[in-house]
Amino acid sequence: MGLFSKGCVICDGKCGLTSSKSIADGKLCENCISELSPWFTDFKHATAESIEEQMAYREENKEKLDDFEITKAWGIKKYKEAMQFIYDKDRKQFVVVSGPEETFKERNPDVIDFDQVTDVFLEVIEHWGEKGGQYDPPNLTHQIRQEEYKDVFWRYDFYLHIKVDHPYFDEICYKMNWKTTVLKVPQRGIMFRRGLEMSGTYKGEELESLAENIEKTGSGERRMIKVGKVVDTALLKKNDDDVVDLLIEDYKDEKYLKKIENVANHIKRADRIYKLLVD
Ligand SMILES: [Zn+2]
């Protein structure tokens, strides 16, 4: 660790141009960065000394994990990289970690005490765009106009912010959904209908009432779809093409209702976490 060394301040290893980070008194290599907390971001103010302290803390964290027992893991189980909120009710501790609960200890997620939590809120990001693909970009060029409602897709992402009193980071923020929820709102008659209109941040009772509203929307939509079907069946002559059309419609309707249900599930999960940590 010579004065003019270009290597990592901790291990003197090679510092790649894009993989390394600058700290106040030198550079950190990719390997050493991977030893730090995934929630740690303030490299600018870190020093070789504070990094060494954090590494010692990360070693102690492994010991804490040995005792940690899963009460529940809340998250999406369908995708194996999805984020999980896992807690130990008796020890009043939790971790937030990517990947399945069976192997989460291998990833050394930071163990947080419930009483280190100072606040929890859900941030919902709602965008609209012309295309309905998972990775299609949202349209950010202008406010949506009424005449566009029928053609666009609405996109939803859910970020949970857990504010903590911790020596190396002050927030755990993670995306609760794995895939962006993308849905098209069916237009009914002459009514212009836009998205769920839920951009914003929510906590406490707001979470509960948001979840209730979305569930109400879901059951309202289910009712309207049923009414629509009765009308359609009465109007349509029953030939084979019509039956196929109706089946496709059924499938699309079910997918749409399922997406609303998913949205409600993310909010309900946020509400459970809020109640566990803050209430
Ligand atoms: Zn290093």
Side-chain angles (χ1 to χ4, degrees):
M1 241 200 293
L3 192 55
F4 301 104
S5 165
K6 293 262 165 43
C8 171
V9 288
I10 302 295
C11 70
D12 207 25
K14 198 167 171 274
C15 283
L17 213 54
T18 52
S19 56
S20 66
K21 295 253 189 207
S22 291
I23 59 172
D25 51 3
K27 275 183 175 283
L28 268 186
C29 77
E30 194 176 5
N31 268 340
C32 290
I33 293 169
S34 72
E35 299 289 312
L36 304 177
S37 165
W39 311 115
F40 172 71
T41 53
D42 190 14
F43 288 92
K44 217 173 90 188
H45 295 104
T47 59
E49 194 187 344
S50 73
I51 294 292
E52 268 167 3
E53 279 166 16
Q54 185 180 164
M55 284 173 161
Y57 146 78
R58 293 284 292 158
E59 283 305 311
E60 286 162 24
N61 190 69
K62 287 180 188 163
E63 283 161 35
K64 270 197 196 170
L65 273 172
D66 285 339
D67 298 329
F68 190 99
E69 279 174 48
I70 303 177
T71 305
K72 278 209 166 104
W74 287 334
I76 295 162
K77 314 292 176 197
K78 193 172 159 192
Y79 302 102
K80 83 173 191 293
E81 310 270 303
M83 299 299 285
Q84 305 289 328
F85 174 96
I86 304 176
Y87 71 97
D88 179 333
K89 199 174 123 209
D90 295 334
R91 285 173 190 79
K92 293 195 181 321
Q93 291 174 330
F94 71 94
V95 299
V96 173
V97 63
S98 146
E101 61 196 80
E102 291 76 18
T103 57
F104 81 98
K105 290 186 182 180
E106 292 166 16
R107 295 180 288 287
N108 192 20
D110 297 278
V111 177
I112 312 289
D113 296 329
F114 287 3
D115 62 16
Q116 282 179 280
V117 175
T118 56
D119 201 6
V120 174
F121 63 93
L122 174 69
E123 180 186 10
V124 182
I125 297 182
E126 180 183 75
H127 283 129
W128 61 277
E130 285 84 1
K131 289 184 182 160
Q134 183 56 218
Y135 303 106
D136 288 327
N139 187 320
L140 304 171
T141 58
H142 64 276
Q143 291 272 317
I144 186 162
R145 293 180 295 261
Q146 245 185 27
E147 62 268 29
E148 291 171 307
Y149 290 177
K150 65 181 183 343
D151 299 318
V152 303
F153 295 86
W154 296 88
R155 315 173 63 83
Y156 298 91
D157 287 304
F158 302 84
Y159 292 90
L160 193 70
H161 297 256
I162 303 174
K163 295 278 180 194
V164 291
D165 183 6
H166 191 283
Y168 300 109
F169 48 90
D170 56 16
E171 184 183 71
I172 291 175
C173 172
Y174 73 102
K175 197 172 162 195
M176 302 186 85
N177 53 317
W178 179 245
K179 288 181 161 187
T180 299
T181 301
V182 184
L183 55 85
K184 192 157 194 169
V185 176
Q187 303 297 306
R188 299 234 159 80
I190 53 162
M191 237 170 36
F192 291 112
R193 305 205 321 150
R194 48 179 299 147
L196 301 168
E197 291 188 84
M198 51 185 289
S199 254
T201 58
Y202 302 85
K203 63 176 163 183
E205 286 167 10
E206 295 163 353
L207 281 167
E208 217 175 290
S209 60
L210 180 65
E212 273 169 25
N213 281 339
I214 297 299
E215 284 187 317
K216 242 183 245 163
T217 303
S219 47
E221 292 292 89
R222 188 171 285 283
R223 242 187 343 265
M224 290 302 287
I225 286 167
K226 265 193 199 150
V227 171
K229 251 174 220 149
V230 174
V231 175
D232 283 351
T233 325
L235 291 178
L236 279 173
K237 275 182 275 164
K238 289 271 179 59
N239 62 42
D240 288 351
D241 283 354
D242 295 335
V243 174
V244 172
D245 281 351
L246 285 178
L247 284 176
I248 293 171
E249 276 310 308
D250 274 355
Y251 173 74
K252 280 191 349 208
D253 291 341
E254 279 313 312
K255 256 182 107 172
Y256 168 61
L257 293 172
K258 183 84 202 153
K259 282 177 180 178
I260 294 182
E261 198 184 309
N262 282 344
V263 167
N265 284 341
H266 294 312
I267 301 162
K268 283 196 278 188
R269 200 180 320 121
D271 185 39
R272 282 203 299 276
I273 295 172
Y274 179 88
K275 283 180 174 137
L276 182 74
L277 297 178
V278 180
D279 258 8

